Amino acid sequence: MKKLLSLFALLFTTATSDAQDWPNLKKYEAANQEIIVSTKNPKAVFMGNSITEGWWQQRPEFFEKHGFVGRGIGGQTTPQMLIRFTPDVIDLKPEVVVILAGTNDIAGNTGPSSVKMITDNLAAMAQLAKANGIKVVLSSILPVKEYPWSKDADAVGMIGQVNTWMKRYAAEQGFVYLDYFSAMVDDEKGLKKKYSGDGVHPDLKGYAVMEPLVLKAVENALKQGKKEPKKTKTSRTKSL
């Protein structure tokens, strides 16, 4: 009985500890410290979910060649990314941050999300970067017709709304809007099959499309930082 109770206590402690690290701050803790100690700041940090994580894992040479650092975590939503934005981005002092986020919010990975909830979190991350002298690239959500694990989600509709907001917000704030969507969408508003095996995550052919686009976006962000942002009305999104 004592052994059984001890085992239960261990499992409970482990589960509680894991649950408390909801944004998974520990994942890149050691890697971040190495960069901070080295004082070799990256040109760009890529903040995102499994699409970003899979990118740097499958194409490490691309990231290393250009001085990029990947900080993607599979399954994550924008509120989780916002919590870890300081240790995983700001503390590394990159010149640019490339934010690719929101698709898992739409799929409901951490509960129901409205367009406004998603865009509020994207804006918060972008403004944190701006306040710390980091140039911002806001990446469109990749096209998805249907999430295999969340078939009832309004993928097409919400992705379109978030991307529309993002493009407008980037123009207002002097950020760069990176349009992956137009380069990868099919006739049904989904991700082209030749770029993905599951309709959500790019394969190597998909990343091959994304790479020249992000290189150009990072280059534009470094240049655009010297320009005054356009003066337009503040964009708003209605809660869904």
Side-chain angles (χ1 to χ4, degrees):
M1 177 62 73
K2 288 183 178 180
K3 288 184 178 181
L4 182 61
L5 290 173
S6 297
L7 178 59
F8 175 78
L10 177 62
L11 291 173
F12 177 78
T13 301
T14 302
T16 302
S17 177
D18 289 343
Q20 288 175 341
D21 190 14
W22 183 63
N24 203 349
L25 295 171
K26 290 186 179 296
K27 183 176 179 70
Y28 292 111
E29 187 176 41
N32 289 341
Q33 192 58 36
E34 286 182 14
I35 292 174
I36 292 168
V37 171
S38 74
T39 67
K40 186 177 180 181
N41 302 330
K43 176 179 278 188
V45 172
F46 287 44
M47 168 58 77
N49 47 49
S50 57
I51 295 172
T52 297
E53 185 174 16
W55 195 350
W56 73 257
Q57 287 179 345
Q58 296 179 62
R59 291 278 292 150
E61 63 276 16
F62 171 74
F63 280 75
E64 292 168 8
K65 177 181 177 180
H66 297 286
F68 298 159
V69 169
R71 288 295 178 264
I73 297 181
Q76 283 210 335
T77 56
T78 57
Q80 292 172 301
M81 294 180 207
L82 180 56
I83 292 172
R84 66 183 179 90
F85 198 80
T86 293
D88 284 354
V89 178
I90 294 172
D91 289 351
L92 306 186
K93 302 184 187 308
E95 296 180 71
V96 180
V97 62
V98 178
I99 301 170
L100 175 55
T103 199
N104 288 326
D105 301 60
I106 295 170
N109 282 21
T110 51
S113 293
S114 68
V115 168
K116 189 176 187 302
M117 289 166 64
I118 298 167
T119 57
D120 281 351
N121 289 330
L122 290 172
M125 285 188 274
Q127 292 301 328
L128 276 172
K130 182 180 180 179
N132 285 274
I134 301 169
K135 309 299 187 299
V136 177
V137 174
L138 289 172
S139 310
S140 69
I141 300 176
L142 272 60
V144 175
K145 182 182 177 182
E146 181 182 83
Y147 295 102
W149 67 94
S150 184
K151 296 182 183 297
D152 293 332
D154 180 18
V156 173
M158 290 186 71
I159 288 172
Q161 291 179 67
V162 174
N163 286 347
T164 296
W165 171 89
M166 209 183 307
K167 183 177 182 179
R168 184 171 61 245
Y169 185 74
E172 293 171 359
Q173 297 293 319
F175 303 147
V176 171
Y177 175 65
L178 172 49
D179 185 9
Y180 292 130
F181 185 92
S182 297
M184 306 180 80
V185 67
D186 64 17
D187 293 337
E188 297 182 322
K189 303 297 183 183
L191 185 57
K192 289 181 179 178
K193 292 181 180 179
K194 64 180 179 180
Y195 298 146
S196 174
D198 64 1
V200 178
H201 301 88
D203 55 20
L204 286 174
K205 289 182 180 178
Y207 289 131
V209 173
M210 296 167 68
E211 287 175 7
L213 296 176
V214 76
L215 287 175
K216 185 65 175 177
V218 169
E219 179 184 338
N220 287 342
L222 292 170
K223 294 177 181 177
Q224 192 164 332
K226 300 177 182 178
K227 299 178 182 179
E228 289 294 323
K230 295 180 181 179
K231 293 183 179 180
T232 58
K233 294 181 180 179
T234 303
S235 61
R236 298 176 182 272
T237 49
K238 296 180 179 180
S239 300
L240 296 184

